[in-house]
């Protein structure tokens, strides 16, 4: 079974088509990188549709074999309730360009908030797991620090730990290093590499081509809301078939 599968997914904003008949299949424990020019729909729409922040107009998205956002009954599809969608959303963790941490909570409190308030888990267990996650992202000494006391790279690593605290089966990253100073990018990418080695299924929007070559199993190039080319990272990045892919790669290298 695929970890996630999209079949003919479409989304429009008025007369503007954001996603057009997107078909994509990601295997469990794989690392998929999404590439494309700004405004192509890959980050602002595609990841948000998978995480159900944005509802699709047509097609279907299956996560771990479960159809997202709707249920079938009597040959018709019915929109799930917000509570049911919230339950499905727990299977995904999303890390944004901006860190979106609670400024009035410490790093540890930011990580424990979801498991405590949303999942209703035991405080001692959640705190122990959050402490371990901070160690895992290299921030053991920053548990009591507030976001304003952390660098951008540290805040993004806390955001990754916060997403992992919900025990997702799929991690989504929307250009996680784009808001960072160049010297801080490496520390975030190192955490993501460790996640990839651990077997976490990941979809990442990034322009870090060196990182993609090193870590990605699959690369998908999108333009104008559609998938232009997809395949093994070595094939798409090393010997792209489509002219639009070639032009994009030559422009960003």
């Amino acid at each position: 079974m695929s970890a996630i599968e999209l079949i003919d997914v479409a989304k429009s904003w008025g007369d503007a088509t954001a996603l057009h008949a997107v078909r994509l299949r990601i295997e469990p424990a794989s690392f998929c990188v999404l590439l494309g020019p700004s405004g192509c729909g890959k980050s602002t729409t595609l990841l948000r549709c998978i995480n159900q922040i944005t509802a699709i107009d047509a097609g279907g998205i299956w996560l771990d074999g479960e159809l997202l956002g709707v249920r079938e009954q009597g040959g018709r599809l019915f929109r799930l309730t917000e509570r049911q969608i919230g339950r499905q959303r727990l299977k995904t963790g999303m890390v944004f360009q901006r860190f979106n941490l609670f400024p009035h909570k410490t790093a540890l409190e930011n990580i424990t908030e979801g498991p405590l308030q949303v999942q209703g888990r035991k405080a001692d267990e959640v705190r122990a797991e959050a402490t371990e996650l901070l160690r895992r992202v290299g921030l053991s000494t920053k548990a009591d620090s507030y976001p304003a006391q952390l660098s951008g790279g540290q805040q993004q690593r806390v955001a990754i730990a916060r997403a992992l605290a919900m025990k997702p089966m799929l991690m989504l990253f929307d250009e996680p290093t784009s808001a960072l100073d160049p010297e801080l990018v490496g520390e975030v990418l190192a955490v993501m590499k460790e996640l990839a080695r651990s077997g976490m299924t990941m979809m990442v929007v990034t322009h870090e081509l060196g990182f993609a070559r090193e870590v990605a199993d699959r690369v998908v190039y999108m333009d104008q809301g559609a998938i232009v080319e997809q395949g093994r990272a070595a094939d798409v990045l090393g010997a792209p078939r489509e002219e639009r892919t070639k032009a994009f790669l030559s422009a960003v290298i």
Side-chain angles (χ1 to χ4, degrees):
M1 183 182 295
S2 301
I4 186 162
E5 185 168 10
L6 289 74
I7 298 180
D8 295 334
V9 171
K11 178 65 183 178
S12 297
W13 304 105
D15 294 332
T17 299
L19 295 174
H20 177 69
V22 172
R23 284 180 167 249
L24 180 61
R25 185 175 183 176
I26 306 298
E27 300 302 319
S30 64
F31 189 112
C32 176
V33 165
L34 301 174
L35 298 175
S38 298
C40 71
K42 63 185 185 302
S43 60
T44 56
T45 306
L46 183 58
L47 294 190
R48 290 171 182 269
C49 286
I50 293 172
N51 202 36
Q52 301 196 71
I53 298 172
T54 298
I56 63 176
D57 295 333
I61 302 175
W62 284 261
L63 179 61
D64 195 28
E66 181 180 15
L67 181 60
L68 299 183
V70 295
R71 61 180 173 85
E72 185 175 0
Q73 183 175 328
R76 298 177 61 190
L77 294 177
F78 297 87
R79 179 79 174 161
L80 298 181
T81 66
E82 288 303 314
R83 185 180 184 88
Q84 291 170 324
I85 289 173
R87 177 189 60 79
Q88 290 185 331
R89 193 178 287 129
L90 292 177
K91 291 186 176 182
T92 61
M94 189 157 181
V95 178
F96 299 88
Q97 297 176 32
R98 298 292 175 179
F99 326 119
N100 296 339
L101 299 178
F102 294 116
H104 61 291
K105 292 183 179 293
T106 65
L108 189 69
E109 290 168 341
N110 265 282
I111 297 170
T112 60
E113 180 76 7
L116 290 174
Q117 301 302 322
V118 178
Q119 296 178 328
R121 295 170 55 204
K122 295 180 180 179
D124 289 348
E125 175 185 289
V126 167
R127 186 179 178 86
E129 290 181 2
T131 300
E132 170 58 21
L133 284 170
L134 280 172
R135 184 204 63 76
R136 188 175 177 184
V137 299
L139 294 173
S140 296
T141 63
K142 300 295 184 179
D144 297 324
S145 298
Y146 290 89
Q149 298 171 313
L150 301 174
S151 70
Q154 290 171 335
Q155 290 185 63
Q156 192 63 295
R157 284 186 279 159
V158 172
I160 293 172
R162 178 181 59 182
L164 291 172
M166 302 297 285
K167 301 182 183 297
M169 64 159 294
L170 171 69
M171 284 286 287
L172 307 171
F173 292 83
D174 183 3
E175 298 193 45
T177 61
S178 65
L180 301 178
D181 292 332
E183 66 270 18
L184 302 177
V185 169
E187 63 191 53
V188 174
L189 296 183
V191 171
M192 294 171 65
K193 289 177 185 178
E194 190 275 329
L195 281 180
R197 287 192 292 268
S198 74
M200 173 63 73
T201 307
M202 302 165 69
M203 295 181 67
V204 181
V205 175
T206 182
H207 286 122
E208 301 287 343
L209 294 187
F211 174 68
R213 287 190 179 92
E214 182 180 352
V215 183
D217 301 303
R218 190 168 192 81
V219 168
V220 176
Y221 175 69
M222 294 185 68
D223 193 12
Q224 299 179 355
I227 292 178
V228 176
E229 185 168 354
Q230 62 176 305
R232 294 190 315 131
D235 295 334
V236 176
L237 297 177
R241 301 184 307 273
E242 302 295 330
E243 290 302 320
R244 280 190 285 173
T245 313
K246 294 176 184 178
F248 172 79
L249 292 175
S250 64
V252 298
I253 291 177

